[in-house]
């Protein structure tokens, strides 16, 4: 199974100190680079990616190939942040309800066939452009034009 996001993707969504706090189990504070923090962040990403796969199965060929569709990366980040919050006792409301709801809706749309993502391995250009010069005027044609 592929992890569709990275720790850097998570840091782009949420403050690094807050992420470290969510991913650190001991008393005190930790840095985002601490081994335990990184391991817990990667575990949350793996769990979120596995959840995303349940929505993707039957709509795209798995495993997907990097680079991943940015919308998928964003959705997986929100699921991973939820995973991190779920590791904690319920102290407060989850502060990212709207973002999480949007991520889950996006994945539901994929499951329903309403939204689509592109797999880098399956992406085939619609046409290739070939240029020739006839006289001083360049002539462009697509593969479809050339191949008939």
């Amino acid at each position: 199974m592929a992890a569709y996001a990275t720790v850097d993707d998570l840091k782009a969504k949420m403050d690094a100190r807050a992420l470290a706090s969510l991913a650190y189990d001991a008393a005190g504070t930790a840095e985002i680079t601490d081994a335990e923090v990184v391991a817990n962040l990667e575990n949350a990403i793996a769990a979120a990616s596995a959840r995303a796969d349940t929505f993707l199965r039957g709509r795209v060929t798995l495993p997907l190939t990097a680079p991943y569709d940015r919308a998928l990366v964003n959705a997986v980040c929100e699921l991973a942040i939820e995973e991190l919050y779920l590791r904690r006792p319920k102290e407060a409301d989850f502060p990212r309800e709207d973002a999480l709801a949007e991520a889950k809706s996006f994945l539901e749309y994929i499951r329903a066939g309403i939204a689509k993502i592109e797999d880098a391995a399956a992406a085939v250009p619609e046409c290739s452009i070939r240029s020739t010069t006839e006289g001083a005027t360049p002539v462009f044609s697509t593969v479809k034009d050339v191949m008939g």
Side-chain angles (χ1 to χ4, degrees):
M1 180 207 62
Y4 299 129
T6 64
V7 172
D8 285 339
D9 292 324
L10 281 177
K11 288 192 301 190
K13 290 278 200 187
M14 191 172 183
D15 178 72
R17 281 177 284 160
L19 282 170
S21 174
L22 288 171
Y24 191 61
D25 294 328
T29 60
E31 296 296 320
I32 194 79
T33 55
D34 291 352
E36 178 185 342
V37 170
V38 171
N40 286 333
L41 292 174
E42 289 174 347
N43 288 340
I45 292 168
S49 296
R51 279 175 66 190
D53 276 348
T54 66
F55 291 90
L56 301 175
R57 244 177 232 106
R59 290 291 171 192
V60 296
T61 302
L62 297 175
L64 296 174
T65 305
Y68 305 112
D69 189 295
R70 197 71 215 155
L72 176 61
V73 172
N74 289 334
V76 166
C77 284
E78 293 303 332
L79 294 175
I81 291 168
E82 179 190 40
E83 291 283 335
L84 292 168
Y85 272 96
L86 291 173
R87 298 175 73 250
R88 298 280 163 235
K90 182 143 173 95
E91 298 168 356
D93 291 331
F94 180 66
R96 301 178 64 90
E97 286 293 333
D98 291 342
L100 179 62
E102 185 177 318
K104 289 179 177 178
S105 291
F106 170 71
L107 292 170
E108 283 290 346
Y109 288 152
I110 291 172
R111 180 185 296 179
I114 297 167
K116 295 182 189 240
I117 60 169
E118 294 297 323
D119 181 12
V124 177
E126 291 181 20
C127 67
S128 297
I129 298 178
R130 177 174 73 94
S131 171
T132 60
T133 305
E134 293 178 7
T137 308
V139 176
F140 296 93
S141 60
T142 66
V143 170
K144 183 178 176 185
D145 293 336
V146 174
M147 302 300 283

